[in-house]
Amino acid sequence: LITTRMSLTFHSTDFEVHRNWLAITHSLPVSRWYHENTSEWTLDYPPLFAWFEFGLSHVAQHFDRNMLLVENLNYDSPATVLFQRLSVIFTDLVFIFAVRECCRCVQEQKGSRDILNRPSFVLAVLLLWNFGLLIVDHIHFQYNGFLFGFLLLSVAKHLQSRHLQGALLFALLLNLKHIYLYVAPAYGIYLLRSYCFTQDNKDGSISWRSFSPLRLIALGSIVGSVCALSFGPFIAMGQLPQVLSRLFPFKRGLCHAYWAPNIWALYNILDKVLVTLGVRLKLLQEAELPRASMTGGLVQEFQHSVLPSITPSITLVCTLLSILPAAASIWWRPGGARGFLRCLLLCALGSFMFGWHVHEKAILIAILPLSILAVESREDAGIFLVLTTTGHYSLFPLIFTPAELPIKAVLMLMFVIYSFTALRKLHSGPVSLLHPLESVYLLGLVVVATACEIVFPLSPWQQKLPFLPLLVTSVYCSVGVTYSFLRLYVSLNTDCVNVEFTSRHV
């Protein structure tokens, strides 16, 4: 009921994005899909998602044919709104099924009779009632639940040792939305190490003689077939370069208009601080400095003023270096499917931390899978609480109108309260799930929210510094996300030590 009301009062740009894609795929021949640019919201998802929109468009025509006209920009008739919202709800059935499969993989506690305190039940609530997914899909508007359904279902298949099914699902996911390249290294290395190599030595090291070419061919055939079905028609038409230019638009700049809470947000603010100090100390001439475009709310390329400017190649190198230890760990000490899941999380967060033009919504790629580990491990539960609370609050600027403030605040508060209480009961003990400084940091979000959402709009600074709340939110949340990333790496090293100790004493 709450989300329905917000659906009627709030429209994001993504609503028009997907309406335009419905129109493109329905009204134009395939050869023009990735060339059409009447709207600024051009088709920039992989071809399999374009075919998904094509399928939806044939249902949409029974609601309102006018939404399928390319020239009808910003068209939002009641029938169009209804169809768009219903399409998200219907495709969420994939996500619901995936959650069911993940819950079947959870290790239940011995003697746990109360269904409300079972890990599988807690996991179901954390996933199905995820605050971030709720506002991104059902208020802001996207199809992330549908896509995350493929990701979680793929993870569940690997936890069930059904590796070919897991590979097929991930190949489909990559061809639906290429942002999941973030976690492709985890899949590639895990499948090569734990599926193509069929045995380990007694000390846990790899047995090179156990390599199975047939298994590698099977995996390659699955991935190749999916990519051929998705990209094949565009390759045949000689349009692959055009498609790739849409999928990887590096001219959009290092950061999104609202900085994702990652390392580059901290880098940007450090550059701003150095500029301010340099001008005040008369070490820099203000007239000679580049215009401050990073906080102008525009998606574009920009240059840093004091620190070296970051290029796409630098972000690629930083990303690869950030995930290299995780990838190496599942090669030398695999740790089974849960070792793969931990590597997946670190790849997702590493790409989020150091990637080029990262969207704030990408934090959900780490938050949702981490829910599985959080209901099984006390250490992971603490990391989950920090990352989820911080990451979810960083999504607040997506819903920016004053009328929606009470609703999004209540929804997040409900999720936070349940997460803390359920995980504390699940991992009961004399020691708190959070360290004192972690609790202080999370309480600081209340101060940030009060200042940005209530005090600032009533102050005279709103006219002079309109993007200050976005900057403060991004920088403060960057600290929590960075901290969670580092803690996950610490837990990975701890697990590796335990695995090595066990293998030596078996």
Side-chain angles (χ1 to χ4, degrees):
L1 182 61
I2 291 175
T3 55
T4 300
R5 176 195 174 275
M6 294 190 71
S7 299
L8 296 173
T9 58
F10 181 86
H11 286 164
S12 71
T13 54
D14 280 317
F15 181 89
E16 170 60 15
V17 168
H18 288 279
R19 187 217 59 81
N20 186 53
W21 293 358
L22 287 172
I24 289 173
T25 55
H26 186 85
S27 305
L28 302 178
V30 177
S31 59
R32 292 183 56 192
W33 284 4
Y34 286 92
H35 287 276
E36 166 60 36
N37 60 1
T38 300
S39 168
E40 62 181 309
W41 311 117
T42 53
L43 182 58
D44 59 5
Y45 274 25
L48 197 58
F49 196 90
W51 289 111
F52 168 71
E53 294 276 9
F54 176 76
L56 287 179
S57 71
H58 283 76
V59 181
Q61 66 182 342
H62 298 292
F63 284 75
D64 186 346
R65 286 184 173 273
N66 289 328
M67 79 170 84
L68 302 176
L69 299 177
V70 174
E71 61 272 17
N72 270 1
L73 302 182
N74 299 310
Y75 186 78
D76 60 352
S77 68
T80 302
V81 173
L82 177 63
F83 169 76
Q84 295 279 66
R85 297 301 182 185
L86 288 178
S87 67
V88 173
I89 293 171
F90 178 77
T91 55
D92 267 356
L93 292 175
V94 177
F95 182 72
I96 294 171
F97 178 72
V99 170
R100 174 181 174 272
E101 290 299 302
C102 287
C103 290
R104 294 174 60 186
C105 301
V106 168
Q107 299 172 355
E108 296 287 356
Q109 297 175 343
K110 294 181 179 180
S112 178
R113 296 182 178 180
D114 184 1
I115 188 173
L116 298 180
N117 293 326
R118 288 181 181 176
S120 56
F121 179 83
V122 174
L123 175 61
V125 176
L126 293 179
L127 291 174
L128 294 174
W129 191 23
N130 182 272
F131 167 78
L133 197 56
L134 175 66
I135 67 168
V136 168
D137 273 14
H138 297 280
I139 300 175
H140 185 265
F141 187 82
Q142 275 189 347
Y143 292 95
N144 289 290
F146 170 69
L147 298 168
F148 277 119
F150 279 88
L151 178 63
L152 292 179
L153 195 55
S154 174
V155 169
K157 294 304 177 184
H158 287 303
L159 291 173
Q160 297 166 3
S161 297
R162 299 176 180 178
H163 299 301
L164 290 180
Q165 293 181 31
L168 173 61
L169 288 163
F170 185 68
L172 290 170
L173 177 62
L174 274 184
N175 283 272
L176 284 167
K177 191 171 183 178
H178 54 301
I179 193 174
Y180 293 96
L181 282 170
Y182 283 5
V183 298
Y187 274 88
I189 295 173
Y190 173 69
L191 287 170
L192 180 61
R193 174 65 175 85
S194 298
Y195 180 73
C196 294
F197 287 92
T198 58
Q199 292 180 348
D200 290 339
N201 294 320
K202 291 183 178 180
D203 62 354
S205 61
I206 189 171
S207 174
W208 295 99
R209 294 182 178 180
S210 68
F211 177 71
S212 172
L214 291 178
R215 291 193 171 193
L216 181 61
I217 292 172
L219 284 174
S221 299
I222 288 173
V223 175
S225 298
V226 173
C227 291
L229 285 172
S230 177
F231 285 89
F234 299 93
I235 295 174
M237 292 184 290
Q239 293 188 10
L240 183 61
Q242 174 64 20
V243 174
L244 294 178
S245 70
R246 286 285 184 87
L247 299 184
F248 302 100
F250 290 111
K251 291 185 178 181
R252 287 186 177 179
L254 174 64
C255 296
H256 199 247
Y258 161 54
W259 302 346
N262 59 13
I263 201 70
W264 304 126
L266 299 176
Y267 189 86
N268 290 344
I269 196 62
L270 177 60
D271 185 71
K272 293 290 184 183
V273 170
L274 292 176
V275 167
T276 301
L277 289 176
V279 171
R280 289 190 176 184
L281 297 175
K282 297 183 179 180
L283 300 175
L284 298 172
Q285 298 296 323
E286 188 171 5
E288 299 177 359
L289 295 174
R291 185 184 176 189
S293 61
M294 285 184 295
T295 54
L298 299 176
V299 180
Q300 59 185 11
E301 293 182 284
F302 53 78
Q303 299 293 318
H304 290 91
S305 300
V306 176
L307 298 176
S309 292
I310 304 299
T311 63
S313 58
I314 292 176
T315 63
L316 176 62
V317 171
C318 291
T319 301
L320 292 176
L321 290 176
S322 72
I323 66 176
L324 183 61
S329 72
I330 62 169
W331 178 265
W332 298 112
R333 292 286 181 258
R338 279 167 176 76
F340 152 71
L341 180 54
R342 195 172 296 277
C343 179
L344 182 150
L345 293 170
L346 286 165
C347 287
L349 275 178
S351 301
F352 181 85
M353 291 290 298
F354 297 99
W356 178 267
H357 196 73
V358 173
H359 286 244
E360 66 286 342
K361 292 165 282 191
I363 192 65
L364 296 176
I365 301 177
I367 288 176
L368 290 170
L370 181 56
S371 306
I372 301 173
L373 296 179
V375 300
E376 295 183 341
S377 163
R378 182 182 183 85
E379 176 72 12
D380 292 322
I383 301 173
F384 173 83
L385 292 176
V386 175
L387 180 62
T388 302
T389 308
T390 306
H392 282 170
Y393 179 73
S394 73
L395 301 176
F396 259 44
L398 290 176
I399 314 298
F400 52 84
T401 52
E404 276 67 46
L405 173 60
I407 300 176
K408 68 180 181 181
V410 169
L411 288 174
M412 179 169 175
L413 188 60
M414 290 170 63
F415 183 83
V416 169
I417 291 173
Y418 177 80
S419 300
F420 274 78
T421 56
L423 291 176
R424 280 176 178 171
K425 286 183 179 180
L426 208 56
H427 305 290
S428 58
V431 182
S432 173
L433 293 178
L434 297 178
H435 302 301
L437 287 179
E438 293 172 344
S439 299
V440 171
Y441 169 79
L442 293 182
L443 288 173
L445 287 172
V446 178
V447 178
V448 172
T450 303
C452 293
E453 301 283 352
I454 300 175
V455 176
F456 183 82
L458 302 176
S459 72
W461 294 343
Q462 185 179 21
Q463 300 298 325
K464 298 179 180 179
L465 302 169
F467 290 95
L468 183 60
L470 297 181
L471 186 148
V472 172
T473 300
S474 177
V475 171
Y476 193 86
C477 292
S478 298
V479 176
V481 174
T482 304
Y483 172 79
S484 300
F485 177 62
L486 296 175
R487 270 200 67 183
L488 272 172
Y489 254 121
V490 170
S491 68
L492 174 71
N493 293 332
T494 303
D495 286 349
C496 287
V497 171
N498 292 337
V499 169
E500 185 173 356
F501 178 82
T502 302
S503 63
R504 287 181 178 179
H505 290 80
V506 171

